[in-house]
Amino acid sequence: SSNLLTPLDYVTKSEKHRASVREVSAATRASGHHSTREHVHYVFGIKNISRALIYRAHSQPHHATDQESQRYVTMATEGVILPRVFDNKDADRLIETAASELFIGYEQLTALLFPIARELLLKRYPSRSSEKWAKKIDGEAQKRAQEIGRYLLPLSMGANLYHSINELTLIRMAKMVLADPKDPEMNELVRAMVQAVALYDPTIWDEI
């Protein structure tokens, strides 16, 4: 079209324009012509969601994700997102204890692996003997040890990412997730995504 329209036009133009948009939108939806919803894409900046939830989001088709890497990064207990069991404090305490013990194991395994990693790196670079190089070796050995130790940590470790999906995928996710509240983290994420879109295009609720 020579006259492209944006979601902002829906907000700023006249009620006559909005009525026309709603009419076209309803007609294509009623006729089952849903591929038009694939033309619209959203990019969400998402902070601190669990890796388990990211894997679930990746099971949806037609997405692109740019995720902040956690390789060679020191993990901390503040980064874990604990799943919660509805109205069951005993289960929640058990989850907290399990997470705490996994972090203790992570730190212990990292400490055990550090001298092994250091020895292997020194064998790999036998000609380097300066004090500055020794510090670099220590840093590299620590990175490699904690990277192996990270396998002990739960999938509820938090991560940050940009997540791009088209509107049809978001609609399908919302219909599936909002009808089933048993996964609080997924429910909260999808609801927040829809609410963010609705700020600019309130017709998203009609689609859902």
Side-chain angles (χ1 to χ4, degrees), residues 26-70:
T28 54
R29 183 170 62 244
S31 68
H33 183 41
H34 297 157
S35 63
T36 53
R37 275 68 180 171
E38 293 179 307
H39 300 173
V40 181
H41 285 76
Y42 305 112
V43 181
F44 299 96
I46 304 171
K47 293 187 71 174
N48 207 32
I49 63 171
S50 72
R51 295 181 75 89
L53 181 55
I54 291 170
Y55 296 146
R56 286 197 61 197
H58 285 180
S59 69
Q60 299 293 330
H62 316 303
H63 75 269
T65 292
D66 296 297
Q67 185 174 326
E68 184 179 40
S69 176
Q70 293 180 324

Side-chain angles (χ1 to χ4, degrees), residues 156-170:
S156 56
M157 292 304 301
N160 306 324
L161 66 152
Y162 289 106
H163 191 60
S164 306
I165 56 175
N166 65 48
E167 185 175 80
L168 185 59
T169 298
L170 179 60

Side-chain angles (χ1 to χ4, degrees), residues 71-87:
R71 285 176 63 81
Y72 306 122
V73 175
T74 302
M75 297 287 107
T77 52
E78 294 80 16
V80 69
I81 299 164
L82 298 176
R84 294 298 179 187
V85 181
F86 290 110
D87 301 321

Side-chain angles (χ1 to χ4, degrees), residues 10-25:
Y10 183 90
V11 176
T12 59
K13 290 199 172 189
S14 66
E15 181 54 37
K16 182 179 178 181
H17 170 78
R18 284 188 285 275
S20 175
V21 170
R22 287 194 295 268
E23 184 179 339
V24 172
S25 179

Side-chain angles (χ1 to χ4, degrees), residues 144-162:
R144 283 158 174 75
Q146 68 188 22
E147 182 62 16
I148 296 170
R150 194 159 66 95
Y151 283 96
L152 285 179
L153 296 180
L155 288 176
S156 56
M157 292 304 301
N160 306 324
L161 66 152
Y162 289 106

Side-chain angles (χ1 to χ4, degrees), residues 105-118:
Y106 161 75
E107 291 166 358
Q108 289 176 340
L109 183 57
T110 300
L112 285 169
L113 291 171
F114 172 77
I116 300 169
R118 189 175 189 278

